[in-house]
Amino acid sequence: MSGATDMPPAANAADENPTAAREVLAFVWGYWRAVPLRFAGMLLGTTLGVVLEVQIPRLSADLVVVVEQLLRDAAAPADAWRTAGWLLGVFGAVFLVKQLYLRNWMYLASQVMQQLVADGFRRVQRFSQEWHTNHFAGSTQRKITRGMWAYDSLADTLVIDLGPALGLLVGFTIAMGLRDPALGLYFGIAVSVFLAASIAMSIHYVAPANVLSNDADTTVGGALADSITCNTVVKSFGSEEREDERFHMASQDWRLKSRRAWLRSMDAGAVQSVLLLCLLGGLLGIVLLRTEAATDRVEGAVYVIATYLVVHSYLRNIGWQVRNAQRAINELDDLVEIARTEPQVENVPAAPSFQPGPGAIDFDDVRFGYRNQPRPIFEKLCVHVRPGEKLALVGESGAGKSTFAKLVQRLYDIDAGRISIDGQDVSQVTQESLRTAISVVPQEPILFHRSLAENIAYARPGASRDEVIRAARQAHAHEFIDRLDHGYETLVGERGVKLSGGERQRVAIARAILADAPILVLDEATSSLDSLTEHLIQEALTTLMRGRTAIVIAHRLSTIRQADRILVFDDGHIIEEGSHDELVRRAGGRYRELVQMQAFVVDALEEPEVEPEAQDSRESA
Ligand code: ATP
């Protein structure tokens, strides 16, 4: 699954490595094993219930015989009352035992379901950024919650329905065999044929259609999530109808596949009904043909019919239950896949915590490529960032600047070489400790749909309100927060949509200020701000960067003039490096060219000082 993605619908083809049923069962068993007493109690209760229920047809037949004898004065009324009492007693005991084990089961089921969903969430949270880039959030959320309910359905089917049903069938086969071996033999064979046919139809006829229908269901979820998440884009292009059409394709595919799955279910049910009729007919025939005495015939017929009535509902449902179990197994498959997918970026065993130091960052011969890219973006990249250095990364879009910053945080594992911070290999320390030592203000800050105070304090959950406000003031976020009706308690909407881009960025900056980490990554941190706010925040950022190592990614070159060193990236290579003044003087240099381009666009930008020869070359150009 690590390689699989939700993105293209074709990747959801039903035959894509379906997890074997036994793997799903082993997965479920792992959860039951964790609560041994409750599970053992459940098994004990079920067995007791089966033993009691097997007595019902015999007691029913006894009662009919006693009543018939009573009519002929061949038995006393007390005999009839006693037999009726036994029958009622057994019914009552079955009821009580079931009550007890089902209540126990509810504790067990709710406990396991909570654990399942928590484990799924825990795992997915720790999957790499690459995994998350390749999987729709909506689909993943559906896989986890659907898996939780699929467990509920599978466990109920196996333990409450199928287990007792199979126990009863074995019990009745033995009981009938003891009465009349021919009856027992026929019952055993007929039930086996019924079970084999039901299971075969379930697995080979109904289940494949269910798998396709589930995949279509996941695709519908993904398509919904994709369009709804990007609703702003949809609106801005007025493309609602285009999106409707696109969604219609997904929902139509779901409709066709689901209908086929349901019809196949009906077909299987019809075959089962015919087989059940044959079972009853055969049993009655054997009883009536093989018994001589009228009383025996009455007793035998009542016994057979009572048995049939007890097992009928179990048998009738067995096909449905097998199909249900099969469907639940298919639906749990996604959760099992999540559980068996190893985190793509893992802590090494017993990894120590990162020990923040002065903030020296080293890239030594680093090779890195995104999995879906034909060639590595970095080859033998070597960069040394001095403690406390303000390093600016510039270059065209797609040159690798953000990737560089992501590798510092170890959001991806590199293919070769070494990245270390303060002499500690980033791949050898825990990811959590490494990332808490790095504050990031991303290009497009994402906020939780929680209060502004919570969003700012996310970097330091224990922060007091005063500290939150102080950070917000420094980031010039306090002004706009203060104007809101609910101030710091305002909820920001999904991913922070209720705030403007600039406001989101200021909240993210306040968050980074509060984090107080020794290393700062500012990835276009002020790109959404107006010039005045940017100027104010630049001051705050300059203060923030003091005494810390900072990696500043900027397209607006005016924001990085003060950087100690500028690296110019081009297609994953560093083609120039130096301070602003050095680079701007370099004739024919890329940085100088970028500055000139921006100076051309932004009138306010000062004319760069250039060396005479560079001046000449520009004039001649
Ligand atoms: P920008 O200035 O536009 O942010 P950048 O210089 O930061 O660009 P990166 O985001 O580092 O560029 O991207 C470098 C290359 O890697 C680009 O070709 C981009 O398409 C590719 N890339 C980035 N992220 C991924 C990803 N998650 N999976 C695959 N390829 C990616």
Side-chain angles (χ1 to χ4, degrees):
M1 180 165 186
S2 47
T5 94
D6 287 339
M7 295 311 184
N12 275 324
D15 54 358
E16 189 199 338
N17 185 25
T19 308
R22 70 170 175 283
E23 218 171 314
V24 173
L25 295 175
F27 173 77
V28 169
W29 172 240
Y31 282 89
W32 287 342
R33 239 182 14 197
V35 276
L37 283 183
R38 288 212 177 272
F39 191 69
M42 183 70 203
L43 288 186
L44 197 69
T46 310
T47 313
L48 191 58
V50 166
V51 170
L52 288 167
E53 243 177 311
V54 169
Q55 311 306 319
I56 290 173
R58 188 180 55 77
L59 289 168
S60 307
D62 286 353
L63 185 60
V64 171
V65 169
V66 172
V67 170
E68 187 269 339
Q69 286 170 348
L70 202 59
L71 288 175
R72 293 188 283 111
D73 284 336
D79 294 335
W81 283 115
R82 196 172 46 250
T83 315
W86 272 111
L87 185 59
L88 282 176
V90 169
F91 271 120
V94 169
F95 166 77
L96 268 181
V97 168
K98 279 194 176 172
Q99 278 288 313
L100 284 176
Y101 76 64
L102 288 180
R103 280 168 194 274
N104 172 53
W105 183 241
M106 275 157 203
Y107 278 93
L108 192 152
S110 56
Q111 203 173 332
V112 170
M113 284 167 77
Q114 185 198 359
Q115 196 58 45
L116 266 176
V117 78
D119 287 350
F121 177 62
R122 207 185 129 72
R123 258 195 121 62
V124 162
Q125 279 217 96
R126 283 157 183 78
F127 285 164
S128 68
Q129 199 168 58
E130 179 158 36
W131 188 93
H132 282 280
T133 323
N134 287 329
H135 292 79
F136 284 124
S139 295
T140 305
Q141 171 246 316
R142 262 166 100 89
K143 283 175 182 174
I144 296 177
T145 50
R146 202 172 61 184
M148 178 180 86
W149 289 111
Y151 161 80
D152 188 39
S153 168
L154 178 66
D156 279 1
T157 308
L158 290 182
V159 178
I160 297 181
D161 301 323
L162 274 179
L166 292 177
L168 273 178
L169 294 177
V170 172
F172 278 127
T173 307
I174 295 170
M176 282 195 183
L178 292 174
R179 273 181 87 86
D180 177 351
L183 199 62
L185 190 66
Y186 175 76
F187 184 80
I189 291 173
V191 164
S192 304
V193 169
F194 179 90
L195 289 182
S198 299
I199 292 170
M201 281 189 301
S202 248
I203 293 175
H204 300 298
Y205 184 64
V206 182
N210 277 338
V211 171
L212 289 176
S213 150
N214 285 342
D215 282 340
D217 184 60
T218 303
T219 308
V220 164
L224 271 176
D226 190 33
S227 292
I228 292 174
T229 317
C230 296
N231 183 264
T232 326
V233 185
V234 174
K235 280 217 160 37
S236 65
F237 285 95
S239 55
E240 283 86 350
E241 285 198 4
R242 196 156 21 117
E243 289 300 313
D244 285 347
E245 184 58 32
R246 205 178 146 84
F247 182 70
H248 173 74
M249 304 290 281
S251 63
Q252 172 152 293
D253 184 51
W254 171 85
R255 177 172 65 87
L256 297 176
K257 287 177 174 161
S258 299
R259 191 179 61 195
R260 192 163 83 119
W262 297 339
L263 286 175
R264 285 193 172 199
S265 240
M266 288 286 294
D267 295 344
V271 172
Q272 284 179 324
S273 296
V274 172
L275 290 175
L276 278 177
L277 273 179
C278 297
L279 172 72
L280 180 61
L283 288 176
L284 282 175
I286 292 173
V287 164
L288 296 180
L289 289 173
R290 284 172 61 88
T291 41
E292 294 292 327
T295 312
D296 288 349
R297 284 187 168 188
V298 170
E299 196 258 5
V302 171
Y303 178 77
V304 161
I305 290 172
T307 304
Y308 179 80
L309 290 179
V310 173
V311 296
H312 171 267
S313 60
Y314 285 101
L315 275 180
R316 186 83 188 84
N317 289 336
I318 260 182
W320 180 81
Q321 281 153 3
V322 170
R323 284 199 301 283
N324 208 27
Q326 183 70 41
R327 188 172 49 227
I329 284 172
N330 294 339
E331 288 179 359
L332 249 173
D333 182 280
D334 285 331
L335 195 56
V336 177
E337 287 274 5
I338 286 177
R340 74 175 186 181
T341 302
E342 290 302 326
Q344 304 70 28
V345 178
E346 263 192 297
N347 288 340
V348 294
S353 291
F354 173 74
Q355 301 300 326
I361 304 172
D362 284 287
F363 276 54
D364 295 314
D365 287 333
V366 169
R367 186 173 77 227
F368 172 74
Y370 290 105
R371 300 283 162 264
N372 58 355
Q373 297 282 2
R375 60 184 183 85
I377 170 126
F378 297 138
E379 277 283 9
K380 291 196 166 294
L381 181 72
C382 292
V383 177
H384 171 67
V385 189
R386 294 186 304 278
E389 187 178 8
K390 317 291 167 261
L391 182 76
L393 311 183
V394 302
E396 281 173 7
S397 189
K401 306 178 298 289
S402 300
T403 306
F404 180 90
K406 284 176 189 164
L407 294 185
V408 174
Q409 301 166 67
R410 201 192 163 201
L411 292 178
Y412 295 84
D413 270 332
I414 53 177
D415 304 318
R418 183 174 189 265
I419 299 175
S420 57
I421 303 181
D422 293 324
Q424 301 158 74
D425 189 332
V426 295
S427 66
Q428 301 301 308
V429 295
T430 61
Q431 298 169 64
E432 301 73 24
S433 63
L434 174 73
R435 291 181 197 141
T436 27
I438 304 170
S439 269
V440 184
V441 182
Q443 226 166 13
E444 287 166 17
I446 296 173
L447 305 183
F448 290 102
H449 179 47
R450 301 177 194 172
S451 72
L452 278 161
E454 278 176 282
N455 269 295
I456 296 174
Y458 198 76
R460 191 142 58 85
S464 68
R465 181 52 65 96
D466 281 349
E467 287 172 315
V468 168
I469 295 177
R470 206 174 312 129
R473 278 189 197 283
Q474 281 182 41
H476 293 275
H478 182 74
E479 295 88 325
F480 86 82
I481 296 176
D482 210 29
R483 280 199 302 272
L484 298 169
D485 282 349
H486 301 288
Y488 283 84
E489 294 312 315
T490 308
L491 295 176
V492 300
E494 200 180 351
R495 298 161 74 89
V497 287
K498 290 189 186 170
L499 302 182
S500 74
E503 287 166 346
R504 269 204 299 275
Q505 256 180 349
R506 280 182 270 172
V507 171
I509 292 170
R511 192 150 74 179
I513 290 173
L514 199 59
D516 197 20
I519 296 173
L520 264 182
V521 173
L522 308 177
D523 189 350
E524 288 285 311
T526 55
S527 61
S528 306
L529 304 178
D530 58 83
S531 306
L532 180 63
T533 317
E534 183 177 12
H535 175 71
L536 293 171
I537 288 179
Q538 275 302 335
E539 282 176 18
L541 290 177
T542 308
T543 316
L544 177 66
M545 285 192 274
R546 203 161 292 145
R548 297 170 213 270
T549 306
I551 297 173
V552 184
I553 300 173
H555 281 295
R556 274 200 262 177
L557 305 178
S558 57
T559 59
I560 51 156
R561 286 175 161 228
Q562 309 309 323
D564 297 322
R565 189 158 50 119
I566 296 167
L567 301 186
V568 183
F569 276 78
D570 182 35
D571 196 18
H573 302 284
I574 297 171
I575 52 166
E576 282 172 31
E577 71 175 279
S579 69
H580 171 81
D581 290 341
E582 283 163 11
L583 291 179
V584 92
R585 287 195 179 90
R586 193 170 294 172
R590 184 80 187 111
Y591 181 77
R592 181 184 144 94
E593 192 187 335
L594 290 171
V595 170
Q596 282 173 338
M597 277 195 287
Q598 291 201 357
F600 183 70
V601 177
V602 185
D603 291 338
L605 195 68
E606 281 176 35
E607 190 69 0
E609 268 180 48
V610 291
E611 284 174 0
E613 71 201 86
Q615 181 80 40
D616 292 342
S617 68
R618 200 174 65 181
E619 276 166 10
S620 62

